[in-house]
Amino acid sequence: MTVSLLLRRARIALDVARQVEEAADGGAPADRKLTTILRRHREYGSRDRRFYGDLAFSCLRWRGWTGTVREGGALVAVGAHLLDHAEPVPEIRALAEDSGIVLPAENRLPVGSLPERAVRFSEFAGRPVRPEDLVPEWAPRLLAAPPGADHAVFLAELLESLQVRPPLWLRVRGRPAGEFAAELRAAGVDAEAGPRADSVRVLSRPHLEELYRLFGPCFEVQDLASQAVGDLCGPAAGERWWDACSGAGGKALHLVDLLGGTGEVLATDVRPVMVDQLARRARRAGTSNLRWRRFDARKPLAGEAPFDGVLVDAPCSGVGTWSRSPDARWRETEEHVRANTSVQSAILANVADHVRPGGKLLYSVCTLTRAETTGQAEAFLAARPDFSPAPAGAVFRLPSEGPCGAMFIAPLLRVAAGRES
Ligand SMILES: C[S@@+](CC[C@H](N)C(=O)[O-])C[C@H]1O[C@@H](n2cnc3c(N)ncnc32)[C@H](O)[C@@H]1O
């Protein structure tokens, strides 16, 4: 390939990274913007698409060290790419040469621990950077280690995990995960059975619609950490559950599958777009015992008998999603954390009345700030003596366990009728 062609591709990649960054800073998810750009350019080949997408995400993930593409241009793109790839692709070599950037003879930027990499990147960039610069300033201050864990160790491990894109996790429905993984491999997808009996880890980036066309609704995309929420709900056959903040329905569909065709799940979300997405997924999955509607879970739910279980998978600062969606970290603020905390407590206070005596209330968030996790659960229990923590206690699912996202899950029990409160 000629140098001018390589340079042309590098400049397209740089432009895509800049557009994705601008969209992310304007509040749009980076992956959606990337999809829109790539859809507009059917002429791009599959290798180019992968390169453009990878570079845009490397720039978002390492932005705390490299600075923004908008301001730093080629230097940012080259630096971010070198942090993720020991051997730079020819397009990046051409871009570096054209921009007068000297590449290290042996690229050791992706090697070693994050503190070691910070030292090497500081030398490359000519200014000091630290691991904690990779997240917003408020994050290290507001994050909580699980009880008994050392805060510094927890933080160091969390920061490491946020810099690596986790694999895609599938929850397999009604068939052995190993068998499905083998069929995926036969179809050219790099997949293997995961740590749960129904989980599959996918290392390549398959076209999901194509997989549904080939295999039917025998799987749902669901992060490994999220799958733990359904397990802790543990609905018994015939029970009625309310998923009060259902989003696009990942956990509601898991509850339905755990109920095995018995009982019923009501899924609600305040945003109509989420309810529409859930409806599409529910129809594809062929569920019969799932109902859905738009609803603000801060309001009393009329016309429904008390539920055996209520799941509040609450809106949160989403720190646990920052490895998969690195752009999200640059949108979150300390004020958002405070605002989320008050929405979470309003929802919890309201839905608690819809749990039958003796029933369960599961509070979960895909974040790790103290205010939104243990702080929220403690405040709820202090205000509601008719609830107590489930015997096993709250669970922290950390990214290093997957690799996957992070979740905090607090299973609570409503004291059975007749007990003194
Ligand atoms: C963490 S997401 C839920 C993800 C979902 N459970 C899943 O597994 O895919 C939180 C959801 O809460 C919804 N939400 C925010 N405020 C709400 C409210 N007052 N009532 C109901 N849903 C709300 C948001 O629209 C968002 O979809």
Side-chain angles (χ1 to χ4, degrees):
M1 200 184 299
T2 63
V3 172
S4 68
L5 195 52
L6 289 173
L7 209 46
R8 194 172 110 72
R9 288 191 177 163
R11 294 219 174 94
I12 294 174
L14 197 55
D15 187 50
V16 170
R18 187 187 46 72
Q19 287 186 56
V20 169
E21 180 184 278
E22 264 172 24
D25 286 350
D31 53 354
R32 200 178 309 152
K33 179 66 184 180
L34 181 65
T35 307
T36 309
I37 298 171
L38 297 182
R39 260 202 206 126
R40 260 204 320 262
H41 291 280
R42 302 266 173 208
E43 74 276 16
Y44 297 161
S46 57
R47 183 193 165 277
D48 294 343
R49 287 167 180 270
R50 244 193 330 274
F51 168 52
Y52 300 157
D54 275 352
L55 186 69
F57 272 76
S58 291
C59 291
L60 290 167
R61 187 168 282 116
W62 294 104
R63 169 178 173 160
W65 285 1
T66 61
T68 59
V69 180
R70 203 166 46 249
E71 285 166 9
L75 188 58
V76 167
V78 171
H81 182 82
L82 291 178
L83 279 158
D84 279 338
H85 302 273
E87 187 55 45
V89 297
E91 286 85 346
I92 290 292
R93 287 190 179 281
L95 182 65
E97 191 166 331
D98 185 65
S99 316
I101 301 166
V102 181
L103 294 180
E106 186 199 359
N107 177 23
R108 289 178 47 76
L109 290 178
V111 181
S113 69
L114 207 51
E116 289 164 347
R117 297 172 73 185
V119 171
R120 291 196 200 104
F121 189 80
S122 300
E123 283 161 13
F124 172 79
R127 64 191 157 74
V129 297
R130 306 163 307 162
E132 56 269 38
D133 296 334
L134 292 167
V135 292
E137 163 281 323
W138 55 264
R141 244 183 319 114
L142 300 193
L143 290 169
D150 179 88
H151 187 78
V153 174
F154 158 77
L155 193 60
E157 286 179 0
L158 180 67
L159 291 173
E160 289 279 354
S161 69
L162 293 181
Q163 294 313 106
V164 184
R165 182 192 169 116
L168 176 74
W169 289 100
L170 306 181
R171 183 173 60 77
V172 186
R173 308 175 64 223
R175 53 181 304 196
E179 180 190 289
F180 183 48
E183 285 184 24
L184 285 170
R185 284 196 297 278
V189 177
D190 187 357
E192 62 192 18
R196 296 164 46 94
D198 59 355
S199 64
V200 164
R201 182 197 332 249
V202 177
L203 297 159
S204 50
R205 300 202 200 148
H207 196 288
L208 290 172
E209 290 310 316
E210 181 64 12
L211 291 191
Y212 278 114
R213 203 184 56 72
L214 281 175
F215 297 103
C218 71
F219 69 94
E220 286 292 334
V221 173
Q222 190 177 22
D223 189 78
L224 197 63
S226 292
Q227 296 184 26
V229 176
D231 295 344
L232 283 158
C233 289
E239 284 190 343
R240 287 177 62 248
W241 276 72
W242 177 21
D243 180 354
C245 301
S246 64
K251 296 181 187 71
L253 288 167
H254 194 190
L255 288 175
V256 165
D257 286 341
L258 289 167
L259 283 166
T262 71
E264 188 187 51
V265 177
L266 170 66
T268 60
D269 197 282
V270 76
R271 286 189 290 163
V273 59
M274 288 293 141
V275 181
D276 290 348
Q277 284 181 25
L278 176 139
R280 266 198 301 280
R281 280 176 85 177
R283 287 193 193 103
R284 182 181 61 203
T287 58
S288 58
N289 49 349
L290 176 62
R291 289 184 291 135
W292 54 85
R293 60 188 261 208
R294 196 200 84 79
F295 186 72
D296 184 339
R298 288 170 295 187
K299 298 185 180 153
L301 181 66
E304 295 283 347
F307 293 88
D308 298 300
V310 176
L311 168 62
V312 175
D313 188 37
C316 67
S317 54
V319 174
T321 68
W322 287 358
S323 52
R324 208 180 290 285
S325 310
D327 50 314
R329 66 184 89 176
W330 307 117
R331 280 195 293 272
E332 281 305 325
T333 63
E334 200 168 343
E335 290 68 45
H336 286 168
V337 174
R338 272 197 290 275
N340 285 328
T341 309
S342 51
V343 174
Q344 291 153 4
S345 48
I347 294 175
L348 275 174
N350 176 51
V351 305
D353 292 331
H354 294 276
V355 179
R356 72 161 165 81
K360 291 186 193 168
L361 172 59
L362 260 285
Y363 171 68
S364 62
V365 276
C366 55
T367 199
L368 297 169
T369 66
R370 204 191 104 65
E372 296 171 278
T373 56
T374 48
Q376 192 65 262
E378 283 160 14
F380 174 79
L381 287 167
R384 293 293 301 238
D386 54 336
F387 279 83
S388 60
V395 171
F396 280 84
R397 275 298 167 131
L398 298 178
S400 50
E401 293 171 33
C404 57
M407 291 293 310
F408 167 81
I409 312 160
L412 310 166
L413 301 175
R414 189 162 195 190
V415 176
R419 211 177 111 178
E420 290 293 313
S421 61

